[in-house]
Amino acid sequence: MTDSTPAATPESVLTLRELAVSFGGNHVLRSVDLEVPTGFTGLVGPNGAGKTTVFNVVSGYVRAAGGDVRLGGETLIGVAPDAIARRGVGRTFQTPKLVAGISVVENVMLGLDGRAGPLAHLRAIAGSRRDSRPARERSLDLLERFGIVEYANEEASALPLATQKIVEVARALIASPRLVLLDEPAAGLGAEDVEAMVAPLVELAADNDLAVVIIEHDLALVSRLCPRLAVLHQGGVIALGTPAEVLAQPEVVDAYLGAGFAAVGP
């Protein structure tokens, strides 16, 4: 990194500095620098670019080989996933990680403990979930906002994919986080399902001054939601700016968009 790299600003919720990750000698991330303010930031790029790895480092599931991750002024390096969640980071996964055998509202309530995620002992955690009335009411309120409160007492894992994804978004939001990481939330969903998820999410983000980072291959969606896009390619950020600025850059077209660019352009 050169001395010209800008320092973190007070407006930055999440700051990545020279973030590096290697798996078995394979450099997945190479010196990633990124500032994330409140509002929506899109993280896009081809498959294998390292986007989900960024989320896994921020949320504590993957250890960085170098660099730093800061939420506000506090480093998250070396902090356990549940502690990171309690510090104000919520996330979803490409495939919803809901607990089988318990209801939708109970799955959402798990987010209050900061322990909902791809952990081997997640099913056991469900036995110690919070059952307080305020927690349940908060969960029901979120389900109402997303238009799925009628499913509150249904088994979450038996619901259609679109509903499961909305449940996971609600779980990521229940603990009033500062930062929410959404990993391909619209993948596999129809237009109506996407809108059912996005419209309440936009309102909740604005009401609570959230920073939301969204990984999504639907460039039309991220361009509509996100005033800022970061393009990740071969483990590094190759472009950062407004959607119009980023999607017009030749290196982005060459690395990611290719012939499909015309289909998403204005």
Side-chain angles (χ1 to χ4, degrees):
M1 179 187 297
T2 66
D3 291 340
S4 62
T5 301
T9 64
E11 293 78 20
S12 295
V13 176
L14 175 69
T15 302
L16 309 181
R17 283 286 175 263
E18 298 187 349
L19 187 63
V21 172
S22 297
F23 297 132
N26 179 30
H27 299 291
V28 180
L29 299 179
R30 304 170 182 265
S31 195
V32 173
D33 292 315
L34 185 63
E35 299 276 356
V36 176
T38 56
F40 285 79
T41 298
L43 183 60
V44 301
N47 289 330
K51 304 182 297 296
T52 296
T53 300
V54 170
F55 278 16
N56 286 339
V57 174
V58 173
S59 52
Y61 294 111
V62 167
R63 182 180 295 275
D68 197 10
V69 176
R70 289 187 173 267
L71 183 67
E74 298 182 34
T75 186
L76 299 182
I77 297 296
V79 180
D82 57 337
I84 289 174
R86 288 194 293 270
R87 290 188 186 186
V89 178
R91 74 164 291 182
T92 68
F93 300 86
Q94 290 180 16
T95 301
K97 305 294 184 183
L98 301 181
V99 180
I102 66 173
S103 69
V104 165
V105 69
E106 290 167 334
N107 263 279
V108 174
M109 289 166 66
L110 281 174
L112 288 167
D113 293 319
R115 294 183 291 184
L119 305 177
H121 61 286
L122 187 55
R123 190 184 301 270
I125 288 171
S128 62
R129 61 191 178 275
R130 298 186 181 204
D131 288 320
S132 69
R133 178 170 294 183
R136 182 171 292 271
E137 289 178 352
R138 169 67 173 155
S139 297
L140 291 171
D141 179 65
L142 278 171
L143 295 173
E144 180 82 40
R145 293 286 294 268
F146 281 102
I148 59 170
V149 71
E150 67 267 29
Y151 300 112
N153 296 315
E154 300 289 331
E155 183 177 340
S157 61
L159 295 175
L161 175 63
T163 308
Q164 289 191 35
K165 287 199 166 192
I166 293 173
V167 172
E168 195 171 52
V169 171
R171 187 173 66 188
L173 292 168
I174 190 171
S176 300
R178 291 183 279 171
L179 171 69
V180 178
L181 309 174
L182 304 179
D183 198 344
E184 298 190 25
L189 305 188
E192 288 188 8
D193 292 327
V194 171
E195 195 58 32
M197 176 190 295
V198 165
L201 175 63
V202 169
E203 293 178 359
L204 287 161
D207 291 346
N208 296 283
D209 291 324
L210 293 180
V212 180
V213 184
I214 180 170
I215 294 172
E216 187 54 65
H217 289 291
D218 184 341
L219 294 176
L221 175 62
V222 291
S223 295
R224 175 164 66 96
L225 283 178
C226 304
R228 301 172 75 250
L229 288 185
V231 181
L232 201 63
H233 181 56
Q234 295 182 343
V237 176
I238 63 169
L240 177 66
T242 67
E245 292 168 343
V246 166
L247 299 181
Q249 295 186 28
E251 60 268 36
V252 174
V253 175
D254 291 341
Y256 176 41
L257 300 171
F261 175 65
V264 299

